[in-house]
C-alpha cells in the first residue's frame, strides 16, 4: 500500500477513535439524565395517582427550565475546546469558570423568580385540585436544586471542552444511584412523601455539582488558573449563549406546536404521539452523543489553527451521522413488535402509531446529519447562524403543522411535517457547512 493511499485511511481511523472515545461516554451520561425523573416517578407512583400527577407537572416545568439553559454546556464546550487546541490550558479552565459563575448567577435568578410564582406556574399547566398541592410542594423544593443543575451543565461543558466525557459519565451514574437511594429512604423510610422525593433529587444534584467543582478547581490550581469571578468573562459567556438560547427556544417551540396539534387530533393521536416522541427522544440521545464529540473535536482543531483537520473531522462525523441514522431507522422498524406493546395495548393507538413510526424510521439518516452538523457549528462557535437557521425552520414548520388538522391529516401527516422540519434544518446547516464560513481559527472566534 502506498503512503498516499494509507494517509486518508489513517486519518479516518484517528477521527474514529476520537469520536468513539468522546461519544460513547457522552451517550451514557445523556441517558442517565432522564433516569432521574424515571426514578422519582417509580417511587412517587406508589404514593398515589394525585402525587404522581403532581410530580409529572412539576417535572415538566423543571425540565423545561433546565433545557432552556442547555447553552451553558454547549457554549462552554466550544470556548474551552478552542483554548485547549491553542495549547493554553489555564485560559481554557478560566473560560470554563466564567461559564460556571454565569450558571450560578442564572440559577439564583431562577430561584428568586420561580419560588413565589410556583402556584401560578402549576395552575397554568392545568393541574387538578387534587394534584396541585403535590405539584407545588415538589416544585418549590426542587427549585432549590436549579443552581446546582445549571452548574452541572456548565461544568459538563468544561470537561467536554477538555476532551473528557468519561468524568461526566461517572458523575451522572453516581448522581442517579444517589438519587434512587435517597428517594426510597426519604419518601418511605423518613415518611416525607413527595417532599422526600424532591429533597432526594436536590441533594443528589448538589452532590453532582460539588463533584464537578472539585474536578474543575483541582484543574485550575494545577494550571494556575484564577477561580475568582471575572465580570468581563461572565458577560462574554452570556453573549455567546444568547444565540444558542434562541436556537433552543425555537426548537422547544417546534416540539410544543407538534404536541398541541396532536392533542387537537384526539386522544388516540396524542397518546400515539407521546409514544413516538419518547422513542424519538431516545434516538436523539444517540445522535446527540456524536454531536457532543463534534463540539469538542471541532473546537480543538480550530483553536489549533488546523483548518484541514477540522474539515476532515467534519466529513467523517457526517459519515458517522448517516451510518448511525440508518442503523437506528432499521432498529425502529425491526424492534417495533417488541417495544410497542410496552407502551400500549389499545389497538386504536397501535394502528395510529405504526405508519407514523415508519416515517420516523425513514427520517433517521436525515436526523443523523442534522445532529452532527449542529454539533460541528456549535464547536465552531457559530451560534448566531444556528439561531437564525432555527428561526427559519420554525417559520416553515409552524404553518405546515397547524394546517394538518384543518386539512384532515392525522398523526402520520404531522410526523411528515416533523420530517420537513428536520429537512429544512439539514438544508440550512449543510449550506453553512459547505460555505466554509464556520471555519474561523484561533483561540477565540
Amino acid at each position: 500500500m502506498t503512503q498516499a493511499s494509507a494517509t486518508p485511511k489513517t486519518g479516518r481511523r484517528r477521527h474514529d477513535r476520537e469520536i468513539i472515545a468522546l461519544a460513547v461516554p457522552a451517550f451514557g451520561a445523556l441517558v442517565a439524565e432522564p433516569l432521574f425523573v424515571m426514578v422519582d416517578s417509580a417511587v412517587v407512583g406508589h404514593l398515589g395517582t394525585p402525587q404522581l400527577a403532581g410530580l409529572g407537572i412539576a417535572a415538566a416545568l423543571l425540565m423545561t427550565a433546565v433545557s432552556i439553559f442547555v447553552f451553558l454546556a454547549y457554549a462552554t464546550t466550544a470556548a474551552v475546546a478552542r483554548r485547549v487546541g491553542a495549547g493554553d490550558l489555564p485560559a481554557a479552565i478560566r473560560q470554563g469558570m466564567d461559564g460556571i459563575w454565569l450558571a450560578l448567577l442564572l440559577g439564583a435568578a431562577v430561584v428568586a423568580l420561580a419560588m413565589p410564582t410556583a402556584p401560578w406556574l402549576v395552575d397554568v399547566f392545568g393541574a387538578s385540585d387534587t394534584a396541585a398541592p403535590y405539584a407545588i410542594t415538589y416544585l418549590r423544593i426542587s427549585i432549590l436544586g436549579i443552581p446546582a443543575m445549571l452548574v452541572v451543565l456548565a461544568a459538563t461543558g468544561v470537561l467536554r471542552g477538555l476532551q473528557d466525557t468519561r468524568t461526566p459519565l461517572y458523575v451522572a451514574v453516581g448522581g442517579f444511584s444517589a438519587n434512587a437511594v435517597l428517594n426510597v429512604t426519604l419518601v418511605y423510610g423518613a415518611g416525607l412523601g413527595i417532599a422526600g422525593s424532591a429533597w432526594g433529587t436536590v441533594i443528589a444534584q448538589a452532590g453532582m455539582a460539588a463533584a464537578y467543582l472539585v474536578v474543575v478547581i483541582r484543574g485550575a490550581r494545577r494550571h494556575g488558573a484564577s477561580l475568582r469571578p471575572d465580570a468581563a468573562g461572565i458577560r462574554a459567556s452570556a453573549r455567546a449563549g444568547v444565540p444558542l438560547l434562541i436556537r433552543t427556544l425555537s426548537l422547544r417551540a417546534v416540539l410544543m406546536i407538534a404536541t398541541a396539534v396532536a392533542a387537537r387530533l384526539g386522544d388516540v393521536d396524542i397518546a400515539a404521539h407521546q409514544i413516538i416522541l419518547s422513542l424519538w427522544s431516545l434516538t436523539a440521545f444517540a445522535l446527540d452523543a456524536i454531536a457532543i464529540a463534534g463540539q469538542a473535536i471541532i473546537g480543538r482543531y480550530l483553536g489549533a489553527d488546523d483548518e484541514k483537520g477540522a474539515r476532515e473531522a467534519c466529513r467523517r462525523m457526517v459519515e458517522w451521522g448517516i451510518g448511525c441514522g440508518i442503523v437506528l431507522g432499521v432498529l425502529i422498524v425491526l424492534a417495533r413488535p417488541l417495544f410497542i406493546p410496552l407502551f400500549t395495548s389499545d389497538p386504536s393507538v397501535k394502528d395510529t402509531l405504526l405508519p407514523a413510526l415508519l416515517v420516523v424510521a425513514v427520517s433517521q439518516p436525515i436526523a443523523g446529519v442534522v445532529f452532527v452538523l449542529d454539533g460541528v457549528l456549535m464547536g465552531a462557535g457559530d451560534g448566531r447562524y444556528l439561531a437564525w437557521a432555527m428561526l427559519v425552520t420554525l417559520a416553515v414548520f409552524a404553518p405546515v403543522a397547524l394546517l394538518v388538522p384543518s386539512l384532515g391529516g392525522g398523526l402520520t401527516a404531522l410526523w411528515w411535517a416533523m420530517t420537513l422540519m428536520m429537512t429544512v434544518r439539514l438544508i440550512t446547516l449543510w449550506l453553512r457547512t459547505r460555505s466554509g464560513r464556520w471555519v474561523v481559527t484561533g483561540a477565540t472566534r
Side-chain angles (χ1 to χ4, degrees):
M1 181 180 294
T2 65
Q3 183 64 30
S5 62
T7 300
K9 184 178 289 187
T10 302
R12 286 196 299 271
R13 287 175 179 170
R14 184 180 73 254
H15 292 313
D16 289 345
R17 286 193 297 269
E18 285 188 324
I19 293 167
I20 292 170
L22 291 170
V24 172
F27 175 70
L30 288 169
V31 171
E33 291 174 9
L35 292 179
F36 268 76
V37 176
M38 290 179 63
V39 167
D40 288 8
S41 299
V43 173
V44 172
H46 291 285
L47 294 174
T49 300
Q51 289 90 332
L52 184 58
L55 170 65
I57 293 167
L61 286 164
L62 290 165
M63 292 304 294
T64 298
V66 173
S67 66
I68 288 173
F69 295 110
V70 74
F71 71 84
L72 289 166
Y74 294 158
T76 305
T77 298
V80 171
R82 276 185 176 269
R83 298 284 191 178
V84 170
D88 192 348
L89 283 176
I93 296 173
R94 174 67 260 174
Q95 189 92 44
M97 284 305 304
D98 292 336
I100 290 173
W101 280 112
L102 176 62
L104 285 169
L105 291 173
L106 290 173
V110 172
V111 171
L113 290 171
M115 191 65 74
T117 59
W120 176 78
L121 292 170
V122 169
D123 184 60
V124 167
F125 262 63
S128 67
D129 291 340
T130 54
Y134 297 109
I136 293 169
T137 297
Y138 189 93
L139 184 60
R140 276 186 164 156
I141 296 171
S142 296
I143 285 169
L144 298 174
I146 285 181
M149 295 167 74
L150 299 190
V151 167
V152 166
L153 284 176
T156 299
V158 175
L159 295 180
R160 288 174 181 170
L162 293 170
Q163 317 296 296
D164 176 10
T165 56
R166 290 184 178 273
T167 300
L169 172 60
Y170 300 148
V171 174
V173 171
F176 164 72
S177 302
N179 182 54
V181 172
L182 287 166
N183 260 261
V184 173
T185 302
L186 296 176
V187 171
Y188 297 113
L192 296 180
I194 195 170
S197 177
W199 280 117
T201 301
V202 168
I203 294 169
Q205 289 162 347
M208 291 173 67
Y212 274 120
L213 289 175
V214 167
V215 173
V216 174
I217 289 171
R218 283 178 178 173
R221 288 176 175 170
R222 186 164 56 248
H223 295 286
S226 174
L227 296 172
R228 294 179 180 178
D230 175 64
I234 294 171
R235 284 196 300 270
S237 294
R239 283 195 300 270
V242 169
L244 294 179
L245 173 61
I246 294 170
R247 168 203 167 272
T248 300
L249 290 174
S250 300
L251 182 57
R252 295 296 301 180
V254 164
L255 298 177
M256 289 175 64
I257 289 170
T259 300
V261 170
R264 289 174 61 188
L265 294 174
D267 290 347
V268 170
D269 291 87
I270 186 62
H273 176 75
Q274 287 303 113
I275 294 171
I276 295 175
L277 198 59
S278 298
L279 180 65
W280 192 72
S281 299
L282 181 60
T283 62
F285 284 134
L287 298 174
D288 203 26
I290 305 174
I292 287 169
Q295 293 171 32
I297 293 170
I298 294 297
R300 192 190 74 231
Y301 274 119
L302 294 178
D305 295 323
D306 189 352
E307 179 179 334
K308 181 182 177 183
R311 290 182 182 276
E312 289 176 349
C314 175
R315 282 194 295 270
R316 189 55 179 159
M317 280 182 284
V318 167
E319 293 170 358
W320 269 78
I322 294 170
C324 289
I326 292 171
V327 170
L328 288 171
V330 171
L331 285 175
I332 289 171
V333 173
L334 295 179
R336 69 187 189 282
L338 298 176
F339 65 77
I340 290 178
L342 296 176
F343 290 97
T344 182
S345 58
D346 188 329
S348 299
V349 175
K350 289 182 179 180
D351 291 342
T352 303
L353 173 67
L354 189 56
L357 193 63
L358 295 177
V359 174
V360 174
V362 170
S363 68
Q364 286 305 297
I366 297 173
V369 179
V370 167
F371 273 80
V372 165
L373 294 182
D374 214 32
V376 167
L377 296 184
M378 283 185 190
D382 204 6
R384 184 172 297 180
Y385 181 83
L386 288 171
W388 281 110
M390 199 61 226
L391 286 171
V392 169
T393 301
L394 175 60
V396 173
F397 169 78
V400 174
L402 293 172
L403 281 173
V404 167
S406 59
L407 294 178
L411 187 66
T412 302
L414 174 60
W415 276 93
W416 276 120
M418 289 287 285
T419 302
L420 171 66
M421 178 271 295
M422 294 300 289
T423 303
V424 174
R425 290 186 71 191
L426 173 63
I427 293 170
T428 56
L429 297 175
W430 178 77
L431 288 173
R432 184 63 167 185
T433 307
R434 189 166 178 251
S435 74
R437 294 176 184 173
W438 60 278
V439 183
V440 179
T441 59
T444 59
R445 183 177 172 87

